[in-house]
Amino acid sequence: MVSTLFLLVFVLSGCSTDDKNTITFWTPLTGEDGAYMDQLVKEYNATEPEIKLKHVITSDMYTKLSTVINSGKGIPDLAIIHADRVPGFVKQNVLEPMNAMLAAQPEIKEENYLPQAWSTGTIDGTQYTVPLDIHSNAMYYNKDLLKKYNAESFLDDDIVTIDEMLSLQGKLDEGDFVVNDALLGWVILGQLQNVGGDVQKDGKPALNTPEMKAAFESVKKIADAGLMTPFGEDGYLMFQSGNVLFSTDGTWSSTAHATVEGLNFGVTNVYSPTADKFTNRSSSHLFAMLNNEARTDEKEQGIGKFLEFIRQNSMEWAKAGQTVASKQVIESPEYKDYMQSFFTSNEKEIESLYIYTYEYYPYVAEAVDKYAADIVRGNVELDATLQTMQKEVEDKIAQGSSGAQ
């Protein structure tokens, strides 16, 4: 029993921050993402810094962060958090401003990063994070199927409209579909921007609105026409099997698609009701320092040196299919070899990468993800479900419970 308790304390502490010669770095990056970050840390440590980094991957990181913050012990020196966590963490006084670190690293500044990635960490003029990437909704297309169904012209302006998709009704072979339902909640939240809506109004959640209804109705048209992959089927795998023209998954999926033999594919923006506006719902991985009395000034200086190394040397992160936030990286010729470079190829594409920064966005996203498939398939009544979603989010805000996203 004693040894088990000791092990639990050791795991929760993430190897603790007591070692003055090690910067403990927590991330929620599992799978291949974790391996790519491991490599970046390894490359940095190979430069022989005064204080090396230890990368600790924690799949349930936010739960463990809550534990160590409440105890005041074992708080990591550095962590990667998602953009939607910043407003809540700042309100709870969890994050330490980056002021001292930024003063020591003059090149870590707004103009050297993608604007929305940087600004997600800016609260009331104070910078609390430094961005690693933007990861966004994307739409892959099957080149062979587009040619087969004479739909290659859909890509002429890089905006596939819903009407263009609907024009294929009745023209597909049995078993083929125009689009799948991958990351459907992300798609809906992108459409919300396309129709002029938002997830909040005056600081209050806004799900039961005409704009949210219009966002769902625009996507529902595709399903009603029988052009979306069947409810309950794995549309992502159906795209990889060559039966779907468009797949609305993420920039990070390019690496998986590339391993499928015979899949001749490209990437474009997520579809939109009109050619006038398109949005690729996005988020960002951000470096942050949690308030931690045990972190020394020397460690903070070491963190600054690591983040400057990442700013200059994060091409490795592009291999994970992520849109790197550092302009030095994305403007280099080598970055153009990565498929996600499409989303930083011009200012209009960069502007399309929309990150929600509403304090209670995690609750909103959870509700949209929960009901999106049933609404789009017509399994539930739209107006009544929007009312339900609104109430669920309002109740969670009132209860102060934690919404995981």
Side-chain angles (χ1 to χ4, degrees):
M1 182 180 297
V2 172
S3 61
T4 301
L5 180 60
F6 174 80
L7 178 61
L8 177 61
V9 171
F10 179 80
V11 170
L12 285 177
S13 68
C15 301
S16 189
T17 58
D18 293 337
D19 183 355
K20 64 180 182 179
N21 297 315
T22 302
I23 294 170
T24 305
F25 174 38
W26 282 17
T27 79
L29 305 171
T30 57
E32 290 187 357
D33 286 353
Y36 287 121
M37 182 52 67
D38 275 341
Q39 181 61 29
L40 282 169
V41 170
K42 181 179 179 181
E43 291 175 3
Y44 173 71
N45 286 338
T47 67
E48 296 296 331
E50 292 181 9
I51 304 179
K52 293 187 176 183
L53 264 78
K54 179 178 178 61
H55 180 208
V56 180
I57 300 172
T58 50
S59 59
D60 55 345
M61 189 188 75
Y62 292 114
T63 299
K64 290 183 177 178
L65 282 179
S66 178
T67 299
V68 297
I69 289 170
N70 288 333
S71 70
K73 298 179 180 179
I75 299 173
D77 299 303
L78 180 68
I80 280 183
I81 64 174
H82 292 88
D84 55 43
R85 295 282 176 167
V86 176
F89 277 3
V90 171
K91 186 176 182 179
Q92 298 162 26
N93 195 33
V94 168
L95 299 184
E96 180 175 323
M98 290 281 190
N99 299 343
M101 188 277 294
L102 295 178
Q105 297 292 337
E107 293 307 309
I108 300 180
K109 55 186 177 180
E110 182 174 6
E111 52 263 47
N112 286 339
Y113 294 87
L114 291 174
Q116 59 272 63
W118 181 270
S119 64
T120 55
T122 310
I123 305 293
D124 296 331
T126 298
Q127 194 66 30
Y128 288 93
T129 66
V130 171
L132 170 64
D133 67 27
I134 291 179
H135 46 283
S136 69
N137 208 182
M139 189 164 77
Y140 299 93
Y141 56 88
N142 184 310
K143 295 180 180 180
D144 297 331
L145 287 182
L146 285 179
K147 183 176 182 180
K148 174 181 178 179
Y149 293 115
N150 196 29
E152 293 169 299
S153 62
F154 291 5
L155 301 174
D156 287 348
D157 57 0
D158 293 323
I159 307 172
V160 179
T161 66
I162 291 175
D163 283 342
E164 285 174 328
M165 289 181 163
L166 293 175
S167 71
L168 293 176
Q169 189 173 9
K171 299 179 182 179
L172 303 184
D173 292 347
E174 185 176 354
D176 284 350
F177 297 90
V178 171
V179 68
N180 62 15
D181 57 357
L183 288 184
L184 189 58
W186 288 51
V187 173
I188 295 297
L189 289 167
Q191 305 307 322
L192 181 62
Q193 289 296 311
N194 291 337
V195 299
D198 202 349
V199 297
Q200 61 88 28
K201 184 176 181 180
D202 299 326
K204 297 181 179 180
L207 288 88
N208 187 21
T209 64
E211 293 82 7
M212 185 69 83
K213 181 176 181 178
F216 273 107
E217 287 177 335
S218 66
V219 178
K220 193 173 184 300
K221 288 179 183 178
I222 304 171
D224 289 346
L227 300 176
M228 186 174 285
T229 51
F231 182 71
E233 296 290 331
D234 192 329
Y236 178 90
L237 291 181
M238 291 180 71
F239 174 76
Q240 291 190 336
S241 297
N243 298 111
V244 182
L245 276 73
F246 300 104
S247 177
T248 56
D249 42 284
T251 51
W252 56 90
S253 300
S254 60
T255 57
H257 293 330
T259 65
V260 179
E261 185 176 354
L263 183 60
N264 186 18
F265 71 101
V267 72
T268 190
N269 301 294
V270 176
Y271 57 84
S272 175
T274 71
D276 299 327
K277 171 76 171 175
F278 63 96
T279 303
N280 300 299
R281 183 275 203 199
S282 305
S283 186
S284 181
H285 289 118
L286 307 166
F287 295 102
M289 296 188 299
L290 284 73
N291 279 320
N292 177 12
E293 294 182 359
R295 184 178 49 244
T296 63
D297 291 343
E298 289 76 16
K299 282 191 177 185
E300 191 163 324
Q301 292 172 13
I303 288 170
K305 293 176 181 178
F306 171 64
L307 298 188
E308 173 59 14
F309 175 86
I310 292 294
R311 187 187 71 81
Q312 297 184 51
N313 301 282
S314 50
M315 190 66 72
E316 182 74 17
W317 194 240
K319 295 178 182 178
Q322 313 288 7
T323 301
V324 177
S326 168
K327 287 185 178 180
Q328 179 169 324
V329 174
I330 64 175
E331 291 173 359
S332 67
E334 183 184 350
Y335 186 73
K336 305 301 184 291
D337 294 334
Y338 295 95
M339 186 166 283
Q340 68 270 24
S341 65
F342 170 83
F343 296 100
T344 52
S345 57
N346 56 61
E347 287 301 317
K348 194 171 183 181
E349 288 298 334
I350 293 174
E351 290 173 4
S352 78
L353 304 175
Y354 189 84
I355 300 174
Y356 285 98
T357 56
Y358 175 46
E359 178 182 353
Y360 299 111
Y361 174 75
Y363 300 138
V364 174
E366 184 179 23
V368 172
D369 288 339
K370 179 179 178 180
Y371 292 102
D374 281 322
I375 291 176
V376 169
R377 310 299 182 161
N379 298 338
V380 293
E381 200 276 322
L382 177 54
D383 288 327
T385 306
L386 290 180
Q387 293 177 21
T388 298
M389 292 164 63
Q390 179 75 26
K391 186 176 186 306
E392 286 188 3
V393 173
E394 290 175 348
D395 287 347
K396 286 187 176 181
I397 294 173
Q399 295 166 3
S401 60
S402 60
Q405 176 64 23

